[in-house]
Amino acid sequence: MLPCWLRWGWVVLLAFPVAGARAQRVVFVPVKEVPYSSRAVVSTLAGAPASKGSVDAVGAEARFAAPMGLAVAPDGTLFVADAENMTVRKITPAGAVTTVAGAAGNQGRADGPAASARFFHPVGLALDAGGNLYVADADNHTIRRISPAGEVSTLAGTAGVKGAVDGAAAARFNLPHGVAADAAGNVYVADTDNHTIRKISPLGGVTTLAGAARQKGSTDGAGPSARFFHPAGVAVDAAGNVYVADNGNHTIRKITPDGAVSTLAGVARKHGAADGPGSSARFLFPTGLAVDNSGNVYVADHLNATIRNISPSGEVSTLAGSVLRAGHLDGPGPEARFSGPYGIAVDAGGTLFITDGPTVRVVK
């Protein structure tokens, strides 16, 4: 996770916005803050600023170490990948936090009943219609599954073995971060260090949906000809379109069901914080993504410390936070502060949930 870096004037960042990525030296010169309006209201659901730990409790008494990916169930239950605790946590709508799988501080690769299962920096989470929870277990280079009964299994990949192989039992990943599930039971993976988007069928077969292994770039086009640069987050809509937070390119990409890749918002390798129509907008190392039933795409704009919205027409706006004033304040959107939002999820009613790693909070 990253410290707080944003302030007036010149800012030089040695950024590691995704685990394992080579440091990038970014000189970010923020423009004068542009006021915006938003109906969003931010409140802390669980955790407390600068209070790391692994405590199961209610609301502000709970503790996390590095909350990252999120998934929300139809009943409002929230699941959190607590990366540095090597666990998956659960938060009820009332804010009660419990540990679903893994043991705090105990890294490993074991499958089995939830309490005996082990992870190694779980990052991404997704939930399917049957209540199965999918975990991008980044440093194990695997995709794990937690059944509704709490049984943990390895869906794809081999723990501790990185690679870029498609197939079933032979499949390999390289530091996967994001994961999403569609209504048909397919699972999509942001295979971060392979610079690709992978697809796992309901039968467990792994294919490469877009990009080419270990070939970074920013090219739009048909599946294997497209290029990404450390893709971090993925989300899928009801029509089967996959959205990608292309972290190293500072863009949001879109992949149609037939594998055609386009840039939805931002311009490759041009970072900033501007709102506006798709190609006029700018991001700074976006990470988590979520899409609602109306086609709005929500973005955790990590180094800008803001939450952004891309409308179905492609207009980008800021919902909460300030690019010039990182912190940990609740309140109306423009007054709220984040220090490094990473994961984001949206429920059926349009409420957003966000992990703010540097302040070890989960907010809504």
Side-chain angles (χ1 to χ4, degrees):
M1 305 304 293
L2 292 172
C4 172
W5 352 251
L6 298 174
R7 59 179 67 96
W8 287 97
W10 291 79
V11 179
V12 179
L13 311 177
L14 275 179
F16 300 83
V18 293
R22 181 174 296 177
Q24 299 182 52
R25 185 176 186 274
V26 180
V27 180
F28 179 46
V29 187
V31 296
K32 186 176 181 180
E33 184 176 23
V34 177
Y36 69 92
S37 60
S38 170
R39 293 185 298 171
V41 177
V42 176
S43 60
T44 299
L45 178 63
S51 299
K52 294 179 69 172
S54 60
V55 179
D56 286 343
V58 178
E61 300 303 314
R63 296 291 180 267
F64 303 88
M68 296 185 78
L70 290 170
V72 60
D75 67 358
T77 299
L78 191 66
F79 297 91
V80 182
D82 196 359
E84 287 186 14
N85 274 327
M86 317 293 172
T87 55
V88 176
R89 316 285 293 279
K90 179 172 76 172
I91 309 175
T92 68
V97 178
T98 55
T99 298
V100 172
N106 289 281
Q107 72 183 47
R109 61 187 65 174
D111 288 334
S116 60
R118 296 293 180 265
F119 302 89
F120 190 8
H121 291 136
V123 175
L125 289 183
L127 193 66
D128 71 12
N132 295 289
L133 192 63
Y134 299 93
V135 185
D137 197 4
D139 278 306
N140 272 327
H141 312 290
T142 54
I143 305 303
R144 315 285 292 279
R145 177 169 53 199
I146 307 174
S147 75
E151 189 74 15
V152 179
S153 59
T154 299
L155 178 66
T158 297
V161 182
K162 64 176 68 173
V165 181
D166 285 339
R172 298 291 183 267
F173 301 87
N174 192 354
L175 213 72
H177 273 55
V179 64
D182 69 14
N186 298 294
V187 176
Y188 301 90
V189 180
D191 196 3
T192 301
D193 263 17
N194 275 328
H195 310 289
T196 55
I197 305 303
R198 315 285 292 280
K199 180 179 179 180
I200 308 173
S201 76
L203 297 178
V206 178
T207 56
T208 300
L209 179 65
R214 296 178 295 276
Q215 297 186 40
K216 64 181 68 169
S218 59
T219 306
D220 287 336
S225 64
R227 295 292 180 267
F228 301 89
F229 186 12
H230 286 132
V234 286
V236 59
D237 67 16
N241 297 296
V242 178
Y243 301 88
V244 181
D246 198 2
N247 182 274
N249 278 322
H250 312 293
T251 55
I252 308 302
R253 315 285 291 280
K254 179 180 179 180
I255 310 174
T256 62
D258 61 0
V261 178
S262 59
T263 299
L264 179 66
V267 174
R269 309 311 298 274
K270 292 185 180 296
H271 54 77
D275 287 337
S279 60
S280 298
R282 295 292 182 268
F283 302 88
L284 189 60
F285 293 110
T287 50
L289 289 182
V291 58
D292 69 15
N293 294 329
S294 299
N296 295 288
V297 178
Y298 301 99
V299 183
D301 197 2
H302 187 63
L303 288 192
N304 273 329
T306 54
I307 305 303
R308 315 286 291 281
N309 173 60
I310 308 173
S311 73
S313 65
E315 188 76 16
V316 178
S317 59
T318 301
L319 291 177
S322 171
V323 70
L324 298 176
R325 297 188 175 92
H328 49 77
L329 294 179
D330 291 342
E335 298 175 18
R337 298 293 178 263
F338 305 90
S339 287
Y342 187 92
I344 189 167
V346 60
D347 70 13
T351 297
L352 298 177
F353 301 90
I354 298 116
T355 55
D356 193 28
T359 66
V360 287
R361 297 179 304 151
V362 178
V363 306
K364 68 177 183 178

